[in-house]
Amino acid sequence: MKKVYSRPKSLKKVPMHYCPGCGHSIIHRLIAELLDEMSLRETAICVPPAGCAVLAYNYLDIDMVEAPHGRATAVATGIKRVRPDNMVFSYQGDGDLAAIGTAETLHTANRGELISVIFVNNAIYGMTGGQMAPTTLAGQITTTSPSGRNTKTEGPPIRVCELLSTLENTTYLERVAVNSPANIKKTKKAIKKAFQHQQKKTGFSLVEILSSCPTNWKMDPLKSCRWIDEIMVKEFPLGVIKEVKC
Amino acid sequence: MKGKILIDKQFCKGCRYCVEFCPKGAIRLSTALNSKGYSFAEFDEKKSCTGCATCALMCPETAIEVYRE
Ligand SMILES: Cc1ncc(C[n+]2csc(CCOP(=O)(O)OP(=O)(O)O)c2C)c(N)n1
Ligand code: SF4
Ligand code: SF4
Ligand code: SF4
């Protein structure tokens, strides 16, 4: 029999620290598959976040430069400007990208830096124990919103793709999810497209990925996947939010 | 089409994604535990695996290799 699927070369053969069913693990694998398929292993540079993915450099077998919390797109800007021929991407959670890193995210996008952002939206702060994030849904219970997020005092969840779509220099923004076979295939295509936009130097590209955090959502992994389908996509609709032809 | 899969039981964390999404019902969770204490996925050779690789697509731990004739 012929081998039709095995571990991508860009994904080190070590066990990951993520919880069972965590979306981060699936997203890492998709990135590694693309690094192999697009022959980017020697030229890609990833900027991982503070957050559960802080140890991504243990898994992706490419160059990595760790950024302080929220500063990934600023670090990536510097790298891309001095090494324009490298494929530069940040990998960030919602606390990292849309709370402490809001300024960096907005201004990097506004300047149209030629980088790609992999934005993992799990509607919560995973690493620090499940606090409310800017993307936490209305009514969602977290350790810092024990009676559910109150949008009157805490504002509604921020839709990052829609927000960035108003900026002239963003050229590819898509929201996808990693909760089913069909959605995982679409996520891979979206990340590939973001990398292609960077190669063609169209502008700033970002893929927002709805991703489960079974541990802090306090659900088993399969229920987390259903929760994305039944609840989360109502607040964060899937699809291409903006694309300028490349 | 005929296929088979190999599962690295030490990488598996028993999330059940492969069990749930295999269209042929060819994967179940073990009663035994792996060295980390998880029930792990086991392939049932008697079921008609097609080598579609849906299980590998879903697996967060990249614990599954897929073979096809
Ligand atoms: C300057 C600074 N402030 C706070 C922290 C603590 N901290 C680490 S990760 C994190 C948020 C993680 O949430 P998110 O970005 O959503 O990623 P996830 O863990 O959910 O993937 C925080 C507040 C820190 N590391 N550095
Ligand atoms: S806490 Fe949540 S995001 Fe972090 S590894 Fe566990 S499931 Fe994944
Ligand atoms: S390859 Fe397809 S049929 Fe075979 S075990 Fe995996 S999901 Fe099931
Ligand atoms: S999807 Fe992977 S980790 Fe989850 S039960 Fe199956 S083999 Fe184990």
Side-chain angles (χ1 to χ4, degrees):
Chain A
M1 280 196 205
K2 202 166 94 242
K3 197 189 274 187
V4 291
Y5 188 84
S6 61
R7 172 177 289 268
K9 289 197 168 58
S10 301
L11 193 67
K12 296 179 196 172
K13 195 165 168 45
V14 291
M16 295 203 246
H17 71 286
Y18 299 113
C19 309
C22 175
H24 278 301
S25 329
I26 298 174
I27 299 165
H28 283 23
R29 191 191 72 230
L30 298 179
I31 294 171
E33 288 175 8
L34 286 168
L35 293 170
D36 283 9
E37 289 163 23
M38 297 173 79
S39 307
L40 293 170
R41 198 169 162 206
E42 296 304 321
T43 52
I45 303 174
C46 174
V47 185
C52 283
V54 70
L55 297 175
Y57 50 73
N58 285 340
Y59 310 132
L60 292 178
D61 197 8
I62 54 171
D63 288 328
M64 311 278 268
V65 181
E66 186 69 53
H69 199 18
R71 314 308 180 220
T73 57
V75 173
T77 295
I79 297 171
K80 185 69 181 181
R81 285 191 182 192
V82 295
R83 301 188 68 95
D85 296 331
N86 288 69
M87 170 64 61
V88 180
F89 65 100
S90 69
Y91 183 109
Q92 302 174 258
D94 39 28
D96 190 86
L97 179 141
I100 192 169
T102 311
E104 285 77 4
T105 305
L106 272 182
H107 291 288
T108 305
N110 193 46
R111 294 190 305 269
E113 299 294 343
L114 300 176
I115 64 160
S116 307
V117 175
I118 311 299
F119 170 38
V120 181
N121 178 356
N122 58 15
I124 208 154
Y125 283 24
M127 183 195 208
T128 42
Q131 294 83 1
M132 188 177 74
T135 45
T136 294
L137 303 190
Q140 188 183 335
I141 291 171
T142 69
T143 52
T144 48
S145 58
S147 326
R149 179 177 187 152
N150 179 349
T151 54
K152 288 205 172 65
T153 47
E154 282 118 35
I158 295 178
R159 295 192 190 98
V160 170
C161 282
E162 284 81 348
L163 183 69
L164 298 181
S165 69
T166 63
L167 305 175
E168 234 173 86
N169 291 327
T170 54
T171 50
Y172 177 63
L173 305 165
E174 180 164 0
R175 188 179 291 114
V176 288
V178 284
N179 64 334
S180 68
N183 280 344
I184 290 174
K185 284 183 188 160
K186 283 188 198 158
T187 300
K188 185 171 171 185
K189 278 196 190 133
I191 300 173
K192 183 172 184 179
K193 234 172 178 183
F195 287 169
Q196 286 168 335
H197 270 268
Q198 183 176 159
Q199 285 171 327
K200 298 201 171 133
K201 303 186 182 357
T202 61
F204 177 92
S205 52
L206 177 144
V207 181
E208 174 174 345
I209 307 170
L210 306 186
S211 170
S212 50
C213 174
T215 300
N216 287 301
W217 293 358
K218 306 201 187 317
M219 294 174 198
D220 68 50
L222 285 167
K223 182 143 192 271
S224 305
C225 289
R226 286 197 293 275
W227 192 76
I228 292 179
D229 262 339
E230 290 161 12
I231 311 286
M232 213 176 163
V233 297
K234 294 202 176 101
E235 188 61 46
F236 298 110
L238 303 182
V240 177
I241 310 296
K242 178 176 178 183
E243 181 168 20
V244 172
K245 282 264 161 297
C246 78
Chain B
M1 214 167 335
K2 233 182 107 32
K4 69 162 188 181
I5 61 169
L6 285 181
I7 302 165
D8 188 327
K9 71 173 188 187
Q10 295 304 344
F11 273 67
C12 174
K13 292 181 186 157
C15 70
R16 304 189 73 92
Y17 287 168
C18 57
V19 177
E20 175 80 8
F21 287 97
C22 169
K24 297 293 176 185
I27 308 172
R28 53 166 189 254
L29 278 201
S30 66
T31 42
L33 303 179
N34 67 13
S35 62
K36 290 201 197 76
Y38 293 115
S39 290
F40 51 89
E42 287 179 325
F43 178 54
D44 183 349
E45 308 230 359
K46 289 191 282 295
K47 298 278 166 63
S48 47
C49 169
T50 58
C52 68
T54 305
C55 50
L57 183 69
M58 286 306 299
C59 180
E61 310 306 328
T62 322
I64 303 178
E65 272 184 358
V66 186
Y67 297 81
R68 200 187 294 149
E69 238 158 38

